[in-house]
Amino acid sequence: ASVFKLGHALIMGGKCSKTSQGDLKREEVLAEYDKMCDGYDKMTAAKQVTVDTLKSWLDDPNSKVVLLDTRTPAEYEHAVISQDAKLLEPSGPGMALTMASGRALTFNTAVPSASSIDPEAKVVVYCTAGLRSGFACTSLDRSWNTETQRRELYSLHGGIIAWVNSGYPVCDPKTGEERQEVHAYAHKWGKFVWERPGMRAKY
């Protein structure tokens, strides 16, 4: 398993120091998280993109990326991957029905039309760990991708937790200022955030 590259080699300039008991515990936690996220990916059957690939797209001035954040408003308002991310909140009943029957997901916020998305853009949907974004991705794929309108849709493997665990920054959606805390929805997911100076979990 990638274990999200062990938090980019524990964010130590890309180099691993002598392995300590703390490092081993962290590796076990990240491996458990990776396994959980793999299960989400299989459950939703959404096309996945890794955090490293997304970061390369966002850094490429010639790449067009549309980010959809499928968390709650409270999570979204706390910190986002990019200030350009747009909130697309799934409904609670919609998630329950989708998980139980596979029906298309419903949302509490307006769903952008396919025609509003640049045909050359990659649409990346993300949430905390990949479950909500995966179901959102497959639902959007059903409604957007007609014979005349095709859009590239991806769910971010591991979600925003994988993003911060790889050392990438999050920011305030209103000001764009970097945040040192990520909303992880609940302890079940918050325990997987690699807390360190400059990053901690909120739930």
Side-chain angles (χ1 to χ4, degrees):
S2 68
V3 197
F4 305 118
K5 294 186 178 178
L6 187 51
H8 274 193
L10 302 182
I11 320 288
M12 299 181 68
K15 298 179 181 179
C16 290
S17 63
K18 183 178 180 180
T19 303
S20 67
Q21 289 183 341
D23 293 339
L24 288 174
K25 182 179 179 181
R26 188 64 208 154
E27 185 173 4
E28 291 171 359
V29 171
L30 291 174
E32 181 183 350
Y33 183 64
D34 206 17
K35 182 178 180 181
M36 182 180 73
C37 294
D38 283 341
Y40 289 164
D41 297 347
K42 291 177 182 177
M43 189 184 306
T44 65
K47 187 176 182 179
Q48 301 294 314
V49 64
T50 67
V51 294
D52 291 334
T53 297
L54 174 59
K55 184 65 165 61
S56 70
W57 289 347
L58 293 175
D59 289 345
D60 182 355
N62 297 316
S63 181
K64 299 177 181 179
V65 180
V66 174
L67 283 174
L68 299 178
D69 188 319
T70 55
R71 299 177 297 156
T72 64
E75 293 170 88
Y76 173 85
E77 291 166 6
H78 198 77
V80 293
I81 286 176
S82 166
Q83 194 178 10
D84 293 329
K86 305 300 182 185
L87 180 65
L88 181 62
E89 183 192 10
S91 69
M95 272 294 295
L97 189 59
T98 299
M99 293 177 69
S101 67
R103 292 180 60 178
L105 187 60
T106 56
F107 299 90
N108 291 331
T109 48
V111 179
S113 64
S115 60
S116 70
I117 306 294
D118 188 322
E120 297 182 359
K122 302 175 180 70
V123 181
V124 178
V125 190
Y126 74 91
C127 61
T128 301
L131 186 62
R132 287 173 288 181
S133 63
F135 282 127
C137 197
T138 53
S139 295
L140 289 172
D141 190 58
R142 294 178 194 174
S143 61
W144 281 0
N145 289 335
T146 64
E147 291 184 4
T148 57
Q149 293 181 326
R150 301 295 302 176
R151 299 293 182 271
E152 284 190 71
L153 275 160
Y154 303 88
S155 177
L156 183 63
H157 175 70
I160 199 169
I161 291 179
W163 180 264
V164 298
N165 281 354
S166 290
Y168 298 136
V170 290
C171 67
D172 184 303
K174 294 180 180 178
T175 67
E177 294 180 358
E178 187 171 340
R179 296 297 304 271
Q180 297 186 340
E181 188 174 73
V182 64
H183 201 305
Y185 187 72
H187 175 70
K188 176 179 178 180
W189 296 276
K191 67 181 180 181
F192 294 112
V193 174
W194 176 35
E195 295 191 320
R196 57 197 184 273
M199 182 51 60
R200 61 185 181 271
K202 174 183 172 61
Y203 43 85

